[in-house]
């Protein structure tokens, strides 16, 4: 511990200009440190309580320095006041440097917890864009959250979001758009789970359904209004098919192919030549293009093989294209139905239902096969 120093006056301190550490008294361990460049600052030196051995084997006490500000910005009186306050803490077993480090860590933790919901959404959407098998799915994540969640939760810290806030965001669409609302809830849950995993919040996820929101909101399955895709009546198909086959445009050929194979519009429009074995009359759709993420093999009827052979063929590339080999627009077949005056009677997806009805009602196909 430093020897008791004589208490210097303010004038005497002002005259301390030689490089080194000068004891000023008035508080044990208080020094004015002067650098070679002439800058001056206050330092309080105190023992840590730790003992070490010198090179000669003699024990010595370990001291620690804590800065109290520059001189003369920090006056002698102020420096002594600070030094006495620290001495009082040391007497209670509180190390000021350790306390300062803990306070810095606490501030850092608080900064992490102040991450806004909108910032968390941006981070999660970026991850989903990298994971998504198609850009449309990633876009849906960004759009639904921006439309239904960010307006209510966007500026809030993720650490402050509770069940009441999530409920407030979902209630306006829960009854009118139950399917969308259920997806929004799941996506809010994912965003908050990401925030928890990255240290931005703690505690249960307020967007979780089971044992949480299910106590304050009706189950989506109880309020969802199932809207069936409009399906062409079986008896209307021959006349419609005749008109469809009379067209020579690519959307018509794509729709005819989708009808013949019972495929979804995305599966048909994304079909590539390398997926087909025309000699074996099979179409193998890879897992990444299937809704269920499983490879799907489709047997091709002779008329479907004939339709494919009528198209410009290649070893690779899309089967149904528009100018310069580009993929047909997602709405190409829907727009075709509208142009043919069938918008109110049928949808592209509805032809799957028509095929299923035909197999059940007009053929002896076993149920499981159908």
């Amino acid at each position: 511990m430093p020897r008791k120093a004589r208490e210097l006056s303010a004038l005497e301190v002002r005259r301390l200009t030689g490089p080194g550490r000068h004891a000023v008294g008035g508080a044990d361990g208080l020094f004015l440190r002067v650098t070679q460049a002439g800058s001056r600052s206050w330092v309080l030196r105190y023992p840590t309580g730790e003992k070490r051995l010198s090179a000669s084997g003699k024990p010595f006490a370990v001291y620690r320095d804590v800065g109290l500000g520059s001189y003369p910005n920090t006056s002698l009186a102020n420096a002594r006041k600070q030094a006495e306050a620290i001495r009082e803490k040391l007497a209670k077993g509180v190390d000021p440097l350790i306390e300062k480090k803990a306070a810095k860590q606490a501030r850092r933790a608080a900064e992490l917890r102040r991450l806004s919901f909108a910032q968390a959404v941006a981070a999660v959407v970026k991850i989903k864009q990298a994971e998504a098998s198609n850009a449309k799915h990633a876009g849906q994540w960004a759009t639904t959250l921006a439309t239904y969640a960010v307006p209510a939760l966007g500026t809030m810290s993720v650490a402050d979001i509770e069940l009441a806030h999530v409920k407030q965001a979902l209630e306006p669409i829960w009854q009118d758009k139950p399917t969308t609302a259920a997806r929004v809830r799941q996506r809010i849950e994912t965003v908050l789970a990401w925030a928890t995993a990255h240290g931005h919040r703690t505690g249960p996820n307020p967007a979780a359904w089971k044992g949480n929101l299910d106590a304050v909101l009706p189950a989506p399955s109880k309020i969802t209004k199932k809207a069936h895709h409009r399906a062409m009546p079986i008896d209307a198909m021959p006349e419609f098919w005749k008109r469809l086959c009379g067209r020579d445009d690519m959307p018509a050929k794509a729709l005819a192919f989708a009808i013949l194979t019972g495929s979804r519009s995305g599966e048909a429009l994304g079909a590539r030549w390398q997926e087909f074995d025309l000699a074996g009359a099979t179409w193998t759709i890879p897992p990444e293009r299937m809704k269920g993420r499983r490879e799907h093999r489709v047997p091709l009827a002779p008329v479907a093989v004939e339709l494919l052979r009528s198209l410009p063929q290649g070893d690779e590339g899309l089967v149904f294209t528009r100018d310069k080999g580009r993929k047909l627009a997602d709405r190409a077949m829907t727009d075709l139905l509208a142009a043919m005056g069938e918008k109110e009677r049928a949808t592209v997806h509805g032809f799957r239902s028509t095929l299923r009805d035909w197999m059940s009602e007009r053929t002896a196909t076993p149920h499981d096969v159908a």
Side-chain angles (χ1 to χ4, degrees):
M1 184 172 181
R3 293 189 300 273
K4 192 78 172 180
R6 182 175 68 86
E7 190 170 333
L8 302 183
S9 67
L11 178 60
E12 289 175 307
V13 168
R14 192 180 306 125
R15 291 171 176 170
L16 297 174
T17 57
R21 193 175 65 246
H22 306 277
V24 297
D28 290 343
L30 179 61
F31 294 90
L32 181 71
R33 183 165 55 194
V34 183
T35 67
Q36 292 289 343
S39 63
R40 294 181 286 180
S41 60
W42 298 107
V43 174
L44 177 67
R45 169 161 287 198
Y46 61 90
T48 64
E50 181 184 356
K51 296 285 187 179
R52 293 181 185 174
L53 293 178
S54 65
S56 62
K58 292 183 179 181
F60 66 93
V62 178
Y63 286 84
R64 184 173 288 154
D65 290 349
V66 58
L68 302 179
S70 63
Y71 176 83
N73 291 336
T74 301
S75 68
L76 172 62
N78 195 355
R80 284 172 172 160
K81 186 177 180 180
Q82 289 187 64
E84 287 299 332
I86 291 174
R87 283 290 178 188
E88 289 178 7
K89 288 186 177 182
L90 288 169
K92 296 176 182 178
V94 178
D95 188 310
L97 288 182
I98 295 176
E99 184 182 45
K100 184 177 180 181
K101 184 177 180 180
K104 183 178 180 181
Q105 292 173 337
R107 287 194 299 272
R108 175 58 179 160
E111 289 172 3
L112 285 174
R113 287 170 62 83
R114 280 198 295 271
L115 183 85
S116 73
F117 180 78
Q119 290 172 318
V121 166
V124 173
V125 165
K126 188 175 181 179
I127 293 172
K128 293 302 174 183
Q129 287 173 336
E131 293 177 348
S133 57
N134 60 75
K136 182 179 179 181
H137 178 69
Q140 288 172 342
W141 261 81
T143 300
T144 53
L145 286 170
T147 303
Y148 302 112
V150 171
L153 305 173
T155 58
M156 291 187 67
S157 165
V158 289
D160 297 333
I161 296 176
E162 299 177 356
L163 183 147
H165 303 120
V166 178
K167 178 174 177 282
Q168 184 180 12
L170 294 174
E171 275 186 327
I173 59 172
W174 198 257
Q175 296 282 351
D176 296 336
K177 301 177 179 179
T179 301
T180 298
R183 289 174 181 160
V184 173
R185 182 205 65 75
Q186 292 171 344
R187 289 165 185 173
I188 293 175
E189 182 180 11
T190 299
V191 171
L192 295 181
W194 175 91
T196 299
H198 286 77
H200 302 294
R201 62 171 284 118
T202 58
N205 194 318
W209 176 251
K210 191 173 182 180
N212 187 55
L213 281 170
D214 61 351
V216 295
L217 291 173
S221 60
K222 302 295 184 182
I223 57 177
T224 300
K225 299 175 182 177
K226 294 185 178 179
H228 296 285
H229 294 279
R230 295 183 300 280
M232 179 75 69
I234 299 172
D235 292 334
M237 277 301 298
E239 185 273 335
F240 171 76
W241 183 257
K242 183 177 180 180
R243 287 196 294 130
L244 181 65
C245 292
R247 301 178 65 96
D248 194 39
D249 53 278
M250 193 60 78
K253 294 183 183 298
L255 179 57
F257 177 77
I259 292 171
L260 289 169
T261 56
S263 58
R264 295 180 175 84
S265 59
E267 295 162 5
L269 292 176
R272 307 185 75 86
W273 284 112
Q274 60 264 38
E275 298 171 0
F276 291 93
D277 175 8
L278 296 184
T282 56
W283 174 28
T284 304
I285 311 175
E288 60 270 19
R289 292 213 309 108
M290 289 299 299
K291 184 177 181 180
R293 293 293 182 268
R294 294 178 61 185
E295 182 180 276
H296 185 55
R297 296 185 67 202
V298 183
L300 300 174
V303 65
V305 174
E306 182 182 346
L307 185 155
L308 291 169
R309 291 191 186 281
S310 71
L311 299 173
Q313 294 184 36
D315 294 331
E316 297 181 351
L318 293 166
V319 174
F320 302 102
T321 61
R322 48 180 169 158
D323 53 297
K324 297 182 180 180
R326 292 185 297 166
K327 179 184 175 182
L328 286 176
D330 292 340
R331 290 189 52 84
M333 294 187 289
T334 299
D335 292 342
L336 171 63
L337 284 174
M340 294 178 68
E342 299 292 355
K343 183 178 180 180
E344 301 302 322
R345 188 164 64 161
T347 62
V348 177
H349 196 84
F351 285 107
R352 287 163 56 86
S353 178
T354 302
L355 175 61
R356 182 64 178 78
D357 292 343
W358 173 76
M359 284 191 287
S360 297
E361 300 176 20
R362 305 295 171 87
T363 75
T365 306
H367 180 273
D368 290 342
V369 175

